[in-house]
């Protein structure tokens, strides 16, 4: 078998996965003086990755887990309604049952939710500043826009239904401002008048083009002496507990340390290392309306649709929908087209434009754990292999802090017992 050696000594770190978590990790390790090989099965920034099609939010206020008390009552609706923001494909239910039960259990009480918030907070430490710094180094400062993020509501009843979540954000230091009807109209004049309230997190930002941003980080990695290998990882070679190489579709890649940040595909690799992680693909869809004829000033999400709405360099993107199914199930494109109905309702000026315009449809795989916490820690097989995956809906916002924790682990620095337990693959 062919052998790939990035250095004469083989003293390199191989980062498996070229999404935002993998790219931030690779650059962080490079900044610590390590020789880095980034392994990605397709092009950096390509449509295969969740980082291509995300909601573009860099949101320090993304502290809430997905599972909340009372959610179990909605499960029958998830199964019966193919058009809701969260749906489960019936024939995949047996394979998803373990994950779903763990998911509901994770949100069994507000005390449990608050514990998860405390665990999530370190991963949301000033992400906008870290994106801006990295973008400046890569020469793409214009891609990070200080827009803020706003959740919009049709009436007081809708807002009150989310009241506990907003109180918890405020309690944990997230600055939030409520915009009522007149101020909301001034802030977003294109938004339909059916929306009467907006909850604004001003310290958030958006990525104008996640694909271009990923490509720029990849180019920065190469310019600083790193290497990107287009291949798929499929195994590991050890001498005792010492990592010596990664097995890949391009042969053996010699290295002495590795990071698994391969998104929804990380589960298989972790299994080869002795760790069973209940990781599923929360299949997300987006639709981008090219040349919409209007602009919005902030990243937005409305309560009934549970989707991110953001102005990107390629058009107005509506990203959301949660569909639980297998990794290899074909897309159900009507899920993406549902987003068009929300678009028409949200922006009346778009109605005729939507019917005539060309749209970009996309489906991708959010790597999601049942407790809304990522897996960050050493593998069971060897301390030379570290995990960094499972960020669900908040991989964009959590990528910089995850990279710092991985850097600590590979330098044998402890990250604290509480975080180590919270993010360990063994917690399941």
């Amino acid at each position: 078998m062919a052998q790939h050696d990035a250095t004469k000594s083989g003293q390199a770190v191989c980062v498996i996965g070229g999404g935002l978590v993998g790219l931030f990790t690779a650059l962080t390790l490079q900044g610590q003086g390590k020789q880095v090989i980034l392994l990605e099965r397709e092009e950096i920034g390509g449509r295969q990755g969740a980082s291509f099609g995300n909601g573009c939010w860099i949101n320090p206020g993304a502290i809430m887990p997905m599972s909340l008390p009372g959610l179990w009552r909605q499960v029958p609706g998830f199964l019966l309604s193919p058009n809701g923001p969260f749906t489960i494909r019936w024939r995949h239910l047996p394979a998803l049952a373990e994950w779903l039960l763990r998911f509901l259990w994770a949100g069994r009480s507000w005390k449990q939710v608050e514990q998860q918030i405390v665990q999530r907070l370190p991963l949301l430490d000033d992400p906008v500043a870290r994106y801006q710094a990295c973008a400046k180094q890569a020469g793409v400062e214009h891609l990070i826009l200080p827009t803020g993020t706003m959740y919009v509501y049709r009436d007081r009843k809708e807002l009150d239904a989310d009241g506990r979540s907003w109180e918890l954000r405020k309690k944990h230091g997230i600055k939030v401002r409520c915009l009522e009807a007149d101020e909301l109209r001034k802030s977003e004049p294109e938004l339909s008048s059916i929306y009467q309230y907006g909850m604004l997190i001003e310290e958030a930002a958006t990525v104008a083009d996640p694909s271009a941003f990923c490509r720029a980080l990849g180019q920065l990695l190469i310019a600083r002496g790193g290497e990107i290998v287009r291949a798929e990882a499929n195994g590991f070679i050890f001498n005792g507990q010492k990592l010596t190489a990664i097995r890949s579709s391009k042969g053996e890649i010699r290295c002495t340390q590795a990071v698994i940040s391969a998104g929804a595909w990380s589960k298989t690799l972790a299994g080869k290392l002795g760790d069973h992680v209940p990781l599923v693909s929360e299949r997300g869809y987006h639709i981008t309306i090219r040349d919409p004829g209007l602009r919005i000033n902030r990243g937005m999400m409305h309560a009934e649709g549970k989707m991110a709405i953001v102005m990107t360099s390629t058009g107005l993107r509506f990203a959301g929908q949660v569909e639980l199914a297998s990794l290899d199930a074909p897309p159900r494109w009507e899920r993406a087209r549902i987003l068009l109905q929300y678009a028409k309702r949200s922006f009346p000026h778009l109605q005729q434009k939507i019917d005539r315009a060309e749209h970009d449809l996309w489906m991708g795989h959010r790597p999601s754990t049942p407790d809304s916490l990522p897996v960050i820690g050493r593998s069971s097989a060897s301390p030379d292999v570290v995990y960094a995956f499972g960020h669900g809906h908040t991989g964009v916002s959590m990528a910089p802090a995850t990279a710092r924790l991985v850097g600590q682990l590979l330098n044998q620095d402890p990250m604290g017992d509480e975080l180590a337990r919270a993010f360990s693959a063994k917690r399941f």
Side-chain angles (χ1 to χ4, degrees), residues 84-136:
F86 191 134
T87 189
I88 305 168
R89 291 200 192 179
W90 272 95
R91 72 182 185 89
H92 299 278
L93 186 58
L96 294 165
E98 177 196 358
W99 186 94
L100 191 56
L101 288 171
R102 288 179 179 271
F103 175 71
L104 295 174
W105 180 247
R108 62 191 178 273
S109 69
W110 284 106
K111 180 179 178 181
Q112 182 69 16
V113 167
E114 191 152 8
Q115 181 181 341
Q116 291 168 345
I117 289 172
V118 171
Q119 292 162 341
R120 289 168 66 86
L121 278 169
L123 295 175
L124 294 164
D125 179 26
D126 205 9
V128 174
R130 299 182 193 282
Y131 265 85
Q132 289 170 331
C134 197
K136 184 175 182 179

Side-chain angles (χ1 to χ4, degrees), residues 74-90:
Q74 301 176 44
V75 171
F78 298 159
L79 292 169
L80 294 172
S81 172
N83 298 326
F86 191 134
T87 189
I88 305 168
R89 291 200 192 179
W90 272 95

Side-chain angles (χ1 to χ4, degrees), residues 7 14 22 58 60 63 100 122 138 165 195 202 204 212 218 246 289 337 351 373 379 395 410:
T7 67
C14 183
I58 310 167
I63 66 172
L100 191 56
S165 296
Y195 298 99
E202 290 182 300
I246 303 294
I289 301 169
R337 295 188 179 95
Q351 294 199 21
L373 295 173
S379 71
L410 289 180

Side-chain angles (χ1 to χ4, degrees), residues 338-378:
I338 292 167
L339 299 170
L340 286 179
Q341 302 310 312
Y342 287 107
K344 289 180 178 180
R345 189 184 313 163
S346 303
F347 304 101
H349 294 164
L350 275 181
Q351 294 199 21
Q352 291 185 354
K353 187 78 174 180
I354 285 173
D355 293 334
R356 296 194 305 263
E358 182 181 358
H359 312 310
D360 176 56
L361 277 64
W362 174 89
M363 189 277 290
H365 302 279
R366 301 184 192 95
S368 295
T369 62
D371 59 6
S372 298
L373 295 173
V375 179
I376 305 170
R378 298 182 178 94

